[in-house]
Amino acid sequence: MTGSGFIYTGHPSRVVFGFGTTAALPDEMARLGTRRALILTTPAQEAQGQRLADLLGEATVGVFAGAVMHTPVDVSDLAADRARQLKADVVVAIGGGSTTGLGKAIALRTGLPQIVLPTTYAGSEMTPILGETSGGQKRTQTTPKVLPQVVIYDIDYTLDLPVALSGTSGINAIAHAVEALYARDTNPVINLMAVEGIRALVRALPAISSDPHNRTARADALYGAWLCGICLGSVGMALHHKLCHTLGGTFDLPHAETHTLMLPHALAYNAPAIPEAMALLRTVLGPDPAQALYALGHAVGAPTSLEALGMPETGIPRAVDLALANPYWNPRPLERDALTALITRAHTGAAPIPG
């Protein structure tokens, strides 16, 4: 890699990592020169948002508990209007990818800075990428306007993360690193982060399944998710992420579970075209990385098929059509018959095979 040249762009963001780091939130707001925080959560995490409001006291102007999966445009518009009405000067997002996405959407519309407190392993908090859904389709854009200024990783939040969500959220993070290894603009820095991030998560996720309150495993998992998030935000993605956005946005499938199901199949499809990436993956996943990821999904109790997630079999041709629309880079050319077979196997829950 170094002999052929490369380009690496680092994205500026401040990271505070450890146990109990939420206590740093008031100081981090002060560093940004902000005094009026709008706190964002999903409906299920409103109580966590209220605890942040209590911590900030008069520096909180409101809690918006309306973040939902896939960041619908109408919710983004509503939340941005709320931020303007309350004269917020910073958004504080606590939660997973849905809440982080809403914070980014508000930042895009208002220019407000963001502080993110992740409670899952989604990794999107480290990226300048925003995906929003409208009319049944998810569209993504990359702009520094949506990159959070501060990310506070508090391992304590993950100690009670349900085992099933821990597993799928962690494999979702692994997907970022896997595709980063064979991205068109990959580079030695990202390769190091990707391999280290995968290693940490592969070590941590089975341990969490056995003992959800294993503090060492929880720290490893969040550390790995941070590294994988940097990978996602630093280089382009390919077939796997395109398929997951297509399936999630079109059939309203859960984000992390869809990534968990599709990753082994997308990797198997691309494997013949990415020998260097496969060699690196074998160092952390063993002789057959695609099968290892498939087995990892089963080991953490993830859903076993797209059918189980609610995707109808009749949707397979539409998913293939959408995956082939708006051509994008992938190390292996996209072939209709092979993609149909890939999605069909994922739909039935069959193990991945080379495409």
Side-chain angles (χ1 to χ4, degrees):
M1 169 61 73
T2 53
S4 58
F6 64 90
I7 295 174
Y8 169 69
T9 300
H11 296 297
S13 60
R14 178 175 168 86
V15 171
V16 181
F17 188 101
F19 288 95
T21 49
T22 297
L25 178 57
D27 290 341
E28 293 303 319
M29 276 186 60
R31 282 189 72 261
L32 292 175
T34 58
R35 299 179 178 179
R36 298 178 60 82
L38 175 62
I39 297 170
L40 310 176
T41 77
T42 62
Q45 292 178 295
E46 186 172 3
Q48 285 183 316
Q50 190 55 55
R51 285 193 288 272
L52 289 187
D54 294 341
L55 172 66
L56 293 175
E58 294 181 355
T60 302
V61 296
V63 175
F64 183 91
V68 292
M69 191 169 60
H70 301 308
T71 318
V73 167
D74 56 346
V75 175
S76 300
D77 290 340
L78 176 64
D81 286 343
R82 182 74 57 83
R84 295 186 188 99
Q85 292 164 3
L86 295 172
K87 296 182 171 57
D89 60 6
V90 63
V91 291
V92 177
I94 179 168
S98 297
T99 310
T100 300
L102 180 59
K104 290 179 174 184
I106 294 173
L108 182 68
R109 289 160 170 77
T110 65
L112 292 177
Q114 306 167 70
I115 300 175
V116 182
L117 294 90
T119 61
T120 70
Y121 307 129
S124 58
E125 66 277 355
M126 295 307 300
T127 78
I129 303 168
L130 170 63
E132 291 185 280
T133 304
S134 179
Q137 293 194 34
K138 192 168 188 176
R139 297 175 176 83
T140 61
Q141 58 180 302
T142 301
T143 169
K145 296 177 181 178
V146 304
L147 183 70
Q149 281 70 24
V150 180
V151 180
I152 299 175
Y153 287 105
D154 190 336
I155 304 163
D156 286 336
Y157 285 129
T158 67
L159 293 177
D160 293 321
L161 188 65
V163 168
L165 181 55
S166 297
T168 55
S169 179
I171 297 175
N172 177 21
I174 290 173
H176 308 330
V178 168
E179 285 224 309
L181 287 172
Y182 58 76
R184 179 166 46 181
D185 48 355
T186 193
N187 59 73
V189 176
I190 292 304
N191 284 352
L192 290 169
M193 292 184 180
V195 170
E196 175 69 2
I198 294 169
R199 179 182 288 112
L201 281 158
V202 168
R203 178 174 63 236
L205 295 180
I208 290 170
S209 292
S210 300
D211 177 9
H213 291 95
N214 183 322
R215 292 169 68 85
T216 299
R218 288 294 188 179
D220 277 348
L222 197 58
Y223 165 70
W226 165 56
L227 292 172
C228 293
I230 295 174
C231 294
L232 174 65
S234 300
V235 296
M237 296 286 116
L239 174 64
H240 169 76
H241 282 76
K242 173 72 171 183
L243 284 177
C244 290
H245 285 158
T246 296
L247 294 168
T250 304
F251 302 104
D252 196 32
L253 305 184
H255 182 85
E257 289 84 348
T258 303
H259 276 267
T260 298
L261 278 166
M262 297 308 298
L263 178 59
H265 298 282
L267 179 60
Y269 182 97
N270 280 326
I274 52 170
E276 292 183 5
M278 293 300 292
L280 289 172
L281 287 170
R282 290 187 187 102
T283 66
V284 288
L285 292 172
D288 191 335
Q291 292 292 339
L293 291 168
Y294 180 76
L296 181 61
H298 283 258
V300 301
T304 57
S305 68
L306 292 175
E307 182 179 30
L309 294 184
M311 176 183 167
E313 184 178 3
T314 55
I316 294 174
R318 174 162 170 74
V320 174
D321 288 343
L322 290 171
L324 291 170
N326 304 317
Y328 54 95
W329 184 86
N330 190 65
R332 174 184 167 184
L334 303 184
E335 303 162 5
R336 179 175 294 275
D337 288 347
L339 283 177
T340 300
L342 183 163
I343 296 174
T344 299
R345 294 186 72 80
H347 188 266
T348 62
I353 58 172

